[in-house]
Amino acid sequence: MRRYGKDADEDDIRNRPSRRGSRPRTRIRPTHEDAAEGMVLTIDRGRFTCLIDEGTKREREISAMKARELGRKGVVVGDRVALVGDMSGEAGSLARIVRVEERDSVLRRTADDDDPYERIVVANADQLAIVCALADPEPRPRLIDRCLVAAYDAGMEPLLVLTKADLATAEPLLETYAPLGVRSVVTSRESLASEGAEAVREFLRGLSTVFIGHSGVGKTTLVNALVPDRQRQTGHVNAVTGRGRHTTTSALALRLPAAKGQESGWVIDTPGFRSFGLSHIEPSRVIHAFPDLEPGTADCPRACSHDEPDCALDAWVAAGHADPARLYSLRRLLSTREAREGD
């Protein structure tokens, strides 16, 4: 049976529309030159809370999702991103993250030393505040060492924050880290209610600081004292196990309050952890955090671990070029690459 007449042409033929649409595919993607700049403050179930128009009267928080064109590219707290779409900030509005700008720094960790998958904790932070309780739970120097290695590898300035000074003295722990030249500040619950919080703020002004520490050390309590208008839930330490309970479930960037004439800053609170794997860090990069020892490695054997009999650093230090305590500290940090936190 003939469907068309004897003299039918292409105009008589009906084309069945494609289910996928008739728009031709193209590799050309929009450049989004008019996209707004923003900063990722927190992430919750695939939704990103971003701050746009920072520092202006129109500053506001908006909700956004990651554009499909980004593929598997991850977006983390602290990222500077480009956004398009509905950026009114009203309830129900949703923008799209179409580009992630180049990162100045990236703090990474793995769950364990044998875990090949590295996780980005936060991006574009200037400083890493390692929060450690002096008691309840007991200090874990090996974990502090691991955090220091991660900070040096990321190019971030470390800051040791010791909490619960009302329960134990801080001197033994401070003496342990004195040769590393790590800045430190000591707090207690009572001091945070008065001048203690301001003493910590002085180390944070003008910087983006990420706070990390295992559960129960008082990290969220400290953040609540630093940013009193944004209270986060706190927990307690289990009396049987000596471990804290996870109360912070997602990273959150909070603006540090500042009086007139003072610099502000950003505080990034992160969930507590019980391990800090370093499988993603090459031990050869740790030496860069010791500029006084680095010149002494010029005569080291190829692929020297800096903790072996032929290491040239022993002669360098013996000749008086550096403090022996610094070499000991370097080797202690390098050993964290092969040992676990509880060793």
Side-chain angles (χ1 to χ4, degrees):
M1 179 179 176
R2 180 180 293 179
R3 296 182 58 183
Y4 305 105
K6 182 178 179 181
D7 299 321
D9 58 20
E10 63 271 13
D11 292 332
D12 297 317
I13 300 175
R14 292 186 304 171
N15 290 316
R16 180 177 294 174
S18 171
R19 296 178 183 178
R20 299 182 179 180
S22 59
R23 184 177 179 181
R25 297 182 66 184
T26 176
R27 293 180 179 273
I28 302 175
R29 294 289 183 262
T31 58
H32 299 296
E33 295 180 354
D34 59 342
E37 295 181 357
M39 172 185 172
V40 179
L41 300 180
T42 191
I43 306 171
D44 181 21
R45 290 168 290 184
R47 289 292 185 266
F48 302 82
T49 300
C50 303
L51 182 71
I52 62 174
D53 292 329
E54 182 181 352
T56 70
K57 293 182 179 179
R58 300 180 64 249
E59 177 181 293
R60 60 198 180 280
E61 295 182 7
I62 65 168
S63 181
M65 62 181 294
K66 189 175 72 171
R68 179 181 294 180
E69 59 207 67
L70 288 179
R72 293 181 176 272
K73 185 177 181 64
V75 181
V76 299
V77 171
D79 267 330
R80 296 287 178 178
V81 296
L83 301 120
V84 299
D86 188 347
M87 290 177 286
S88 63
E90 298 176 355
S93 62
L94 188 65
R96 286 187 302 131
I97 297 175
V98 296
R99 187 171 60 251
V100 179
E101 306 298 349
E102 184 177 355
R103 293 161 174 162
D104 295 328
S105 66
V106 176
L107 178 65
R108 298 179 172 92
R109 79 177 184 97
T110 53
D112 293 295
D113 287 334
D114 55 0
D115 183 2
Y117 180 70
E118 66 179 45
R119 297 159 176 81
I120 299 180
V121 180
V122 70
N124 299 317
D126 306 301
Q127 185 171 232
L128 178 63
I130 306 166
V131 184
C132 176
L134 293 168
D136 190 31
E138 293 298 316
R140 294 165 63 183
R142 179 69 69 181
L143 185 58
I144 297 175
D145 290 350
R146 288 172 162 263
C147 295
L148 287 173
V149 172
Y152 294 141
D153 182 71
M156 299 167 58
E157 186 72 22
L159 172 67
L160 184 59
V161 182
L162 303 181
T163 62
K164 305 185 182 182
D166 50 321
L167 302 180
T169 179
E171 294 306 318
L173 203 58
L174 292 176
E175 291 176 1
T176 300
Y177 292 95
L180 280 169
V182 178
R183 297 176 306 152
S184 61
V185 58
V186 181
T187 68
S188 65
R189 183 177 292 272
E190 290 74 16
S191 67
L192 288 177
S194 54
E195 72 282 351
E198 186 59 31
V200 179
R201 288 193 191 102
E202 292 302 315
F203 288 91
L204 314 178
R205 298 203 184 280
L207 301 172
S208 176
T209 304
V210 54
F211 281 69
I212 64 172
H214 60 88
S215 303
V217 297
K219 177 171 51 63
T220 301
T221 300
L222 175 61
V223 171
N224 286 342
L226 295 172
V227 191
D229 59 334
R230 296 288 295 272
Q231 295 292 300
R232 308 197 79 186
Q233 182 183 358
T234 60
H236 63 278
V237 177
N238 188 303
V240 177
T241 65
R243 291 181 173 181
R245 175 171 174 262
H246 290 290
T247 52
T248 299
T249 57
S250 60
L252 173 64
L254 301 168
R255 197 201 308 275
L256 192 69
K260 187 176 181 180
Q262 291 181 330
E263 282 188 292
S264 183
W266 287 95
V267 172
I268 304 176
D269 189 18
T270 62
F273 54 81
R274 295 193 175 113
S275 64
F276 203 106
L278 299 175
S279 63
H280 63 290
I281 295 179
E282 291 294 332
S284 59
R285 298 205 298 260
V286 180
I287 187 64
H288 299 317
F290 294 79
D292 52 336
L293 296 176
E294 195 169 7
T297 63
D299 297 326
C300 282
R302 187 174 182 178
C304 179
S305 66
H306 307 310
D307 193 13
E308 54 192 63
D310 295 332
C311 179
L313 284 176
D314 291 292
W316 173 268
V317 171
H321 296 294
D323 188 342
R326 292 279 289 171
L327 179 58
Y328 169 77
S329 296
L330 168 65
R331 289 174 172 167
R332 188 183 74 202
L333 294 185
L334 288 172
S335 69
T336 66
R337 187 64 173 73
E338 286 78 31
R340 298 187 179 273
E341 287 92 334
D343 292 351

